Each structure stands twice: as structure tokens, then as C-alpha cells.
Amino acid sequence: MVILGTQYAGEMKKGLFSLMHYLMPKREILSLHSGCNMGKSENVALFFGLSGMGKTTLSTDNNRELIGDDEHCWRDNGVTNIEGGCFAKCINLSKEIEPDIWNTIKFGTVLENVVFDEHTRDVDFCDKSVTENTRAAYPIEFIPNARIPCVGLVRRTSFCWLVMLSEFCLRLASSLWPRPCIISSVGIRRLSF
């Protein structure tokens, strides 16, 4: 795969992910656009959703081991991270709200589409004059509770679909879900599994 003429690291990331969508099913492996973490009792949680819906935030839970924040392969015996790192949105990033992701901003992290002061090199994470799609790409080892190797055995799995709530989504979820469920529009909150 060759990608030319881009200034966006996400092109390479998504290009490889497209390749995985092609190759993995031929090996009876499902490639997933999901965040993933594992609890102390080895229960795996998968978070599905579009960019900006909270996969990185929810998978980077300091009470659980991070397997990965965005791209995984799932087979009969487990879930595997296929990236080896994270690609977190960092618009409005603050130490108070997302300390784990904030602490990854150090040597070895690539910041993309961010605005910074040319003299002090301080990044203004609230400035969206370039785009709201600001990113921090960092090795998974920068998260203290990352599971290395990034593999989780599938004994018990929880699935979380992260959606922008609308009346349509609520009707759709209530018609597809086999038992009553709670859907909240209060925003991203840490979940217990």
C-alpha cells in the first residue's frame, strides 16, 4: 500500500485498517473499529462508534487494562490490537478531564493539526482554527495500564455502541435490543463491566 500527497497521519492508519478489513476475513478473523479493554476478571469490553464518540476515552480506563483504542481483530480465542499505539482526539484536552491521555503528550508523541506558540512551544488544545480533528498519536506503552502484549482472551465480552443520541437512535435501539436497556444523553461517563 502506498499513500502519497497527504498531510494527515489518519490516511495511513485508515489505509492499513482497510487492508485488514480485506485480509482478516480470509483468515476467519473479524477486524473491528473499536476500543477495547479488559477487567481484573478478564472480562473484555469492546466500544464501537464513529470518530469522536468516546472509544479512546472509555477504553483508557485506569481501572482496566487497555488493549487498544481503535482497531482490533477478533477470533475465537481472543481480541488483538492491530496498531500498537493510540490515535486520540485532543481538541479541548486537559489534565483534569483526561489525565491518562494528557500524560502521553511527551517525547515520542506525534501531535497533528494542533496550534502551538512558536516561542514557548506550548500547545493550545482549545484552538480549533485548523480543524477540530486534532490528534495525538502515541505508543500504547505511554498508558501505564496498557496490557502488553495487547491481547485479551474472550471469556466474557461486553459490547458498547457509542452513538449521537436522537429520537431516531432511541427508537432504533429500543426496537433492536432484546431486553430493556438504559440509554443516556448526559455524555461520556466511565462504565463498569
Side-chain angles (χ1 to χ4, degrees):
M1 177 176 62
V2 177
I3 298 173
L4 302 172
T6 185
Q7 296 181 357
Y8 175 53
E11 294 290 340
M12 293 175 279
K13 173 187 168 63
K14 294 303 180 187
L16 282 171
F17 194 42
S18 295
L19 186 63
M20 296 302 277
H21 279 323
Y22 174 75
L23 293 174
M24 292 300 102
K26 293 179 178 218
R27 294 170 172 83
E28 296 186 8
I29 300 170
L30 180 63
S31 58
L32 304 168
H33 182 217
S34 67
C36 185
N37 63 25
M38 189 170 73
K40 290 174 180 47
S41 61
E42 296 188 346
N43 55 326
V44 170
L46 291 164
F47 303 94
F48 296 91
L50 299 173
S51 291
M53 298 303 291
K55 292 183 302 297
T56 301
T57 300
L58 292 170
S59 58
T60 308
D61 181 336
N62 57 16
N63 294 316
R64 300 172 61 82
E65 292 181 300
L66 173 66
I67 294 174
D69 79 322
D70 199 50
E71 298 176 2
H72 297 88
C73 286
W74 185 12
R75 60 178 2 155
D76 290 341
N77 62 346
V79 178
T80 305
N81 178 317
I82 60 175
E83 294 181 286
C86 297
F87 194 58
K89 276 193 130 175
C90 57
I91 192 72
N92 299 321
L93 181 65
S94 72
K95 186 174 188 169
E96 296 73 35
I97 296 173
E98 304 229 42
D100 290 329
I101 295 171
W102 176 269
N103 290 331
T104 67
I105 311 296
K106 57 187 174 185
F107 184 79
T109 296
V110 176
L111 294 177
E112 183 173 57
N113 295 327
V114 298
V115 176
F116 64 95
D117 184 290
E118 291 182 27
H119 302 291
T120 65
R121 298 181 136 192
D122 290 334
V123 176
D124 182 354
F125 289 108
C126 296
D127 188 329
K128 50 186 166 186
S129 61
V130 176
T131 179
E132 283 197 32
N133 194 22
T134 60
R135 296 288 181 158
Y138 49 89
I140 199 157
E141 295 86 11
F142 281 15
I143 299 292
N145 60 317
R147 182 174 177 82
I148 308 295
C150 302
V151 175
L153 301 176
V154 178
R155 291 194 173 91
R156 198 174 87 211
T157 305
S158 297
F159 298 91
C160 296
W161 279 265
L162 307 170
V163 296
M164 291 288 252
L165 293 178
S166 68
E167 187 177 330
F168 170 76
C169 290
L170 292 172
R171 282 199 314 267
L172 179 64
S174 66
S175 67
L176 295 176
W177 207 263
R179 61 184 190 277
C181 63
I182 298 171
I183 300 175
S184 172
S185 61
V186 296
I188 297 170
R189 298 290 182 261
R190 298 285 185 198
L191 304 176
S192 299
F193 299 96

